[in-house]
Amino acid sequence: MIVASYNIRKAIGSDRRRRPDRILDVLREVDADIIALQEADRRFGARQSALPLHMIAEHSDYMPVPFDIRPGSLGWHGNALLVRKAATILHHAPLTLPALEPRGAVLADIRLGGREIRVVGMHLDLSGLWRRRQAHAVMAHIQQQPRALPTVMMGDMNEWRRHGGCLSDFGQHYRFAETGPSFHARQPIARLDRIVVGEGLTVAETGVHRSLHARTASDHLPIWARLRFG
């Protein structure tokens, strides 16, 4: 199973134009089975999806996990999950995180290809103190789920260091996929975007998607990992 994480910056590219079609082009290139998106909803007004729902339905192989927080939005505090149309969504929930500014995460249990997996998408705070509190909150939410499943957590963790902070907190119980730097898209030097896996999953292959479309569609590049069960 291939998973990916992508901060789409509300579909605003390096040319400062909002082009959701470019984001969909990148998603087709990555061709992951499950994708965690950050900054997927617009920031102001009705906070509708930066990727129009009809475009996802008509021009991709994906469907959004229906968190239904606001009409026309894709997720919760900009976090969203896209899954193959062949997938079955067994359970889904928005997760409230401690924060000074609005922050959240999203969780879904997915069945695809006869396998079940728990997926968490997140976009953590700019403050290191709050990032650590949010990391503990995410892990606590996972622990509170009524049944255990192989779990992958993905998102923009806003952690510039390679070690320490929220990364050390996650690292006590989970393993990081070594995907490489993904920010800034034009000249990536920082590993702000991360994929973290728990028991029952093995990371077989990883990467950062560096196509021409990806370098212009957002200020982040998508990261991906091929996972094996068992």
Side-chain angles (χ1 to χ4, degrees):
M1 183 179 294
I2 300 176
V3 299
S5 181
Y6 190 16
N7 184 328
I8 66 171
R9 197 194 181 194
K10 305 173 187 64
I12 298 174
S14 57
D15 56 2
R16 300 186 180 180
R17 297 172 62 195
R18 191 185 303 277
R19 289 276 305 277
D21 58 301
R22 291 190 296 202
I23 299 296
L24 292 174
D25 286 339
V26 175
L27 296 184
R28 281 190 289 269
E29 292 173 350
V30 175
D31 198 29
D33 298 300
I34 300 172
I35 303 170
L37 298 178
Q38 302 86 50
E39 298 193 34
D41 292 330
R42 299 191 189 194
R43 185 173 181 181
F44 301 108
R47 298 186 182 180
Q48 291 191 325
S49 173
L51 296 180
L53 300 180
H54 72 89
M55 289 184 67
I56 298 174
E58 296 168 8
H59 302 291
S60 81
D61 293 328
Y62 299 104
M63 60 181 177
V65 174
F67 294 101
D68 297 329
I69 306 298
R70 296 182 181 89
S73 74
L74 195 58
W76 169 238
H77 290 307
N79 295 285
L81 297 173
L82 299 181
V83 299
R84 297 278 192 198
K85 291 177 179 177
T88 301
I89 301 167
L90 304 172
H91 168 69
H92 56 88
L95 307 182
T96 300
L97 302 183
L100 286 174
E101 58 178 340
R103 292 282 174 175
V106 288
L107 178 149
D109 296 344
I110 307 296
R111 182 187 295 127
L112 182 62
R115 298 286 193 173
E116 294 185 7
I117 188 170
R118 176 164 292 138
V119 184
V120 176
M122 69 188 84
H123 189 179
L124 301 187
D125 208 285
L126 295 173
S127 160
L129 173 63
W130 286 99
R131 280 197 301 273
R132 299 196 69 176
R133 292 175 178 174
Q134 290 160 3
H136 284 281
V138 167
M139 291 186 285
H141 280 297
I142 293 172
Q143 288 287 329
Q144 293 163 7
Q145 297 304 304
R147 67 186 184 115
L149 282 177
T151 298
V152 57
M153 298 181 287
M154 304 183 280
D156 181 349
M157 296 191 182
N158 266 321
E159 182 62 71
W160 287 78
R161 296 173 294 176
R162 285 185 58 88
H163 307 285
C166 70
L167 302 184
S168 64
D169 296 325
F170 282 120
Q172 292 180 23
H173 306 284
Y174 297 87
R175 289 166 286 112
F176 285 89
E178 293 296 328
T179 52
S182 55
F183 181 85
H184 187 280
R186 287 298 183 93
Q187 190 173 0
I189 59 172
R191 300 188 180 200
L192 302 186
D193 305 288
R194 299 278 182 162
I195 296 175
V196 191
V197 301
E199 292 183 3
L201 293 172
T202 301
V203 179
E205 190 179 1
T206 67
V208 179
H209 187 72
R210 296 184 171 91
S211 72
L212 177 61
H213 281 136
R215 290 197 299 270
T216 56
S218 172
D219 59 348
H220 287 245
L221 296 171
I223 61 172
W224 59 272
R226 187 185 301 274
L227 306 179
R228 291 178 180 158
F229 289 80

